Amino acid sequence: MSQEQNVHKSKSTFFGGAAILAASAILVKIIGAIYRIPLGNILPDEVMGDYNSAYNIYNFFLTISTAGLPVALSKTISEANALGRHNQVERTFQVALFTFLALGLASFFCMTVLAVPLADIAISNPKAVYCIMALAPSVLCVCIMSAFRGYFQGHFNMMPTGVSQIIEAGSKLLVGLALAMFCMKKFGEQFGSVGAIIGVSFGSIVALLFIVFLFLKNRVRSRRKWDQEADRPDPPGVILSNLLKLAIPITLGSAATSIVTLIDTKLVMSQLTDIFQKVDGLLLNPDGTGPALDAARNLYGIYSKTMSIYNLPFSMMVPLTACIIPAVSAALARRNRREAQKVSESALRVGLLLALPMGLGLCALGGPIMGLLFPKIDTAVAGPLLSVLGVASVFVALQLLCNSILQANGMVNLPILAVVIGGIVKILVNYTLVGNPDIRINGAPVGTLCCFAVVDLLEVFIIRRAIPRPPSFLRAILKPLIASAVMAGAAWASYGLLTGPLHLSSRLSTVGAIGVGVIVYLILVLSLRAISKDDLALMPKGDKIAKILKIQ
């Protein structure tokens, strides 16, 4: 097979896996919206704040346990597969699984036994303690599940990951909402968040059982063939050392982000509580509870609801980032830098074609979208928050793509510095703005925007200077940016026209403005040729899509 055919085959496999994960990610996000939006309407703002505060603790332990190892595992397995070392693949997975299990048990212990000090000290919200405990089983299950997902992704088999994510989200939806309503009626409003979180843990357990079943079924067939091969795997100690060499820097970089988020949560909560106590004269009890804390929880809850929408654009990058690393790693293992460059550039282009319109659309219609999804929310507060977060989501998406490119090229240390610098910027901006009584919670999304803008600038600089054949960011960004900016302007103008001269309701106007934006964006993408026939040819059914859209 020629080098060009190898490039085409690898990229087709890459986009085939990306398409599977993208489809599952879209479905998971739809399920998540069905879950988070009714949940946000069921739970009072302050209880929603407890829910998200606990999630920040959960994300920290999940990051420590799973941020680096799945990446290292999929990278190592894809490299071993590219070299035909199937017994090495098996040994690598075994070592990773035991490591994941140990990390999961340690995280489970911390979130159960140390839940009280974590709630009091780490996030300055004593009322979130039961939420933290309820999330502990999910940490353990997701840690174990990450080993199996990394194994399958290293084989470019994205189906188990996608289906397990759908099962996890669906179980969370059905059980979480039911338990949230039950706990609120039975035990009071504060325990509604605990019921919802129990649903999260239940979904993780069901998804874990599913992916373990698939692994055992697949392993029986594989072992029959591989046991006859002469490949001698490396000793477990060597494999663990190689995994940790890649995993630890990635984990440190991701942990830096989680630590910054925890510090930021504590900072925002403590500053808001302090303002409500000292400026507004609300009472704060010696144990940290009282009207001042409740007012801070209320504002943080509104911010949390905007964050659930802000997460949508860059969450679409997860399928691409999961596929970039094994695809680029396999190309580099064959010393084919041209293939690695093409995969990276295609992923950037497709990723930004998704992230830019969604992010700028949220910016243009922040208030109307929040009013549409959360009728009871104060849109005067929530609207500006979502508008700033919409722009920030584009920078977060780009950062995820850049991280994956750097990690696939073995450059896992330099991004840590970028994340740390960005985190410091975020803390400084939030400390300055949130602590201002005239700005308060409006400063939080500005800190997020500044943070990821700085990180992106640093990481793009690193990619262009450190990678021999870097992808072209100008080709990836320019046309999607033009199309998205015009689309956002059209959506904003349409909303004003529909609510003004035409006197339609805000909800109908919002839906109409979104529809106008989608149509304008599709027309511009085709007119500007933002995506080429060659790009589409590398995707499943890409030739047929190109014919339908008449892309030359």
Side-chain angles (χ1 to χ4, degrees):
M1 185 178 291
S2 68
Q3 178 176 329
E4 192 66 30
Q5 288 174 319
N6 276 329
V7 171
H8 188 277
K9 180 180 178 181
S10 177
K11 290 192 73 180
S12 296
T13 303
F14 163 72
F15 276 108
I20 292 171
L21 282 185
S24 65
I26 291 170
L27 186 54
V28 166
K29 288 305 169 184
I30 291 173
I31 296 172
I34 295 173
Y35 171 69
R36 291 295 291 266
I37 293 172
L39 183 65
N41 288 314
I42 291 170
L43 300 181
D45 291 337
E46 59 270 20
V47 179
M48 194 70 180
D50 299 340
Y51 179 94
N52 282 278
S53 296
Y55 244 94
N56 289 333
I57 295 287
Y58 166 76
N59 284 332
F60 170 74
F61 284 105
L62 202 62
T63 298
I64 294 296
S65 304
T66 66
L69 273 175
V71 173
L73 179 60
S74 65
K75 183 179 189 301
T76 304
I77 286 178
S78 66
E79 290 173 345
N81 271 326
L83 300 175
R85 301 191 62 192
H86 300 299
N87 289 324
Q88 174 75 358
V89 168
E90 286 291 297
R91 180 69 60 81
T92 300
F93 171 73
Q94 292 169 5
V95 171
L97 180 60
F98 282 110
T99 306
F100 273 114
L101 179 61
L103 290 170
L105 288 171
S107 298
F108 178 86
F109 174 83
C110 291
M111 292 185 67
T112 50
V113 177
L114 303 178
V116 173
L118 284 173
D120 290 341
I121 299 172
I123 55 177
S124 296
N125 188 356
K127 294 190 176 182
V129 62
Y130 295 114
C131 295
I132 296 172
M133 290 181 177
L135 277 168
S138 184
V139 171
L140 177 59
C141 290
V142 174
C143 283
I144 299 172
M145 193 161 28
S146 295
F148 294 98
R149 286 174 174 171
Y151 174 85
F152 282 115
Q153 287 170 197
H155 286 83
F156 295 98
N157 183 3
M158 308 303 171
M159 185 67 74
T161 296
V163 175
S164 66
Q165 289 172 341
I166 293 171
I167 291 174
E168 187 177 1
S171 300
K172 177 177 69 175
L173 168 66
L174 297 175
V175 178
L177 288 179
L179 285 178
M181 291 185 287
F182 172 78
C183 290
M184 286 182 68
K185 292 179 180 178
K186 187 73 175 178
F187 306 108
E189 285 187 343
Q190 182 181 342
F191 290 93
S193 56
V194 177
I197 283 176
I198 293 174
V200 174
S201 293
F202 178 82
S204 300
I205 294 171
V206 175
L208 174 61
L209 293 175
F210 168 79
I211 204 167
V212 169
F213 169 77
L214 285 186
F215 171 78
L216 294 176
K217 183 179 178 181
N218 177 75
R219 192 181 185 193
V220 171
R221 293 197 303 266
S222 300
R223 288 295 295 269
R224 290 173 186 167
K225 179 177 66 174
W226 295 349
D227 284 344
Q228 299 175 2
E229 295 184 0
D231 167 42
R232 293 175 60 88
D234 297 335
V238 173
I239 292 175
L240 179 61
S241 176
N242 291 334
L243 287 173
L244 293 180
K245 284 179 183 177
L246 178 61
I248 288 176
I250 296 173
T251 301
L252 290 175
S254 299
T257 303
S258 294
I259 291 171
V260 167
T261 300
L262 278 178
I263 295 173
D264 185 54
T265 301
K266 178 179 176 60
L267 182 67
V268 171
M269 284 295 297
S270 60
Q271 283 187 303
L272 290 175
T273 303
D274 191 56
I275 289 173
F276 281 117
Q277 181 191 16
K278 295 180 178 179
V279 177
D280 297 344
L282 298 181
L283 179 66
L284 185 66
N285 299 325
D287 63 353
T289 62
L293 175 65
D294 292 340
R297 289 168 60 217
N298 180 271
L299 270 186
Y300 190 78
I302 294 174
Y303 180 58
S304 298
K305 291 177 181 179
T306 64
M307 291 288 287
S308 65
I309 309 302
Y310 146 82
N311 287 330
L312 291 175
F314 64 82
S315 66
M316 298 300 294
M317 299 306 102
V318 174
L320 290 173
T321 57
C323 296
I324 290 172
I325 293 171
V328 173
S329 299
L332 293 176
R334 294 189 294 269
R335 303 194 178 192
N336 191 338
R337 290 197 171 274
R338 182 169 176 267
E339 177 187 346
Q341 180 193 35
K342 283 191 173 184
V343 171
S344 300
E345 189 168 313
S346 294
L348 276 173
R349 182 160 46 248
V350 174
L352 290 170
L353 278 168
L354 293 171
L356 275 165
M358 288 190 286
L360 295 187
L362 293 178
C363 176
L365 299 174
I369 289 174
M370 290 304 297
L372 175 68
L373 299 178
F374 302 99
K376 297 180 182 178
I377 203 167
D378 186 353
T379 55
V381 176
L385 295 178
L386 184 59
S387 292
V388 177
L389 287 172
V391 179
S393 70
V394 177
F395 287 96
V396 180
L398 181 59
Q399 188 240 358
L400 292 174
L401 293 167
C402 289
N403 272 355
S404 296
I405 293 171
L406 288 168
Q407 291 163 9
N409 282 271
M411 300 174 188
V412 294
N413 293 311
L414 291 175
I416 297 176
L417 178 62
V419 171
V420 170
I421 293 173
I424 293 173
V425 169
K426 179 181 175 71
I427 292 172
L428 291 176
V429 171
N430 280 4
Y431 179 80
T432 303
L433 297 183
V434 178
N436 187 325
D438 296 326
I439 300 176
R440 303 194 187 194
I441 196 65
N442 290 305
V446 177
T448 300
L449 174 59
C450 293
C451 167
F452 287 102
V454 169
V455 172
D456 283 351
L457 288 173
L458 293 173
E459 292 195 352
V460 169
F461 176 78
I462 293 170
I463 289 173
R464 292 185 62 82
R465 294 298 297 270
I467 295 178
R469 296 190 68 163
S472 172
F473 285 89
L474 183 61
R475 284 199 301 264
I477 292 174
L478 184 59
K479 290 181 179 179
L481 179 59
I482 293 172
S484 299
V486 175
M487 177 276 299
W492 176 82
S494 298
Y495 180 80
L497 176 65
L498 293 172
T499 54
L502 298 181
H503 303 292
L504 295 182
S505 68
S506 178
R507 289 188 175 186
L508 287 176
S509 298
T510 303
V511 174
I514 292 173
V516 169
V518 170
I519 294 171
V520 169
Y521 183 70
L522 290 177
I523 292 173
L524 287 172
V525 166
L526 296 176
S527 301
L528 295 172
R529 297 181 181 179
I531 189 167
S532 68
K533 184 177 179 180
D534 291 337
D535 291 332
L536 290 173
L538 298 171
M539 302 180 190
K541 308 295 183 182
D543 292 334
K544 292 184 179 180
I545 297 174
K547 287 181 180 179
I548 293 172
L549 298 178
K550 297 181 179 180
I551 296 177
Q552 300 298 322

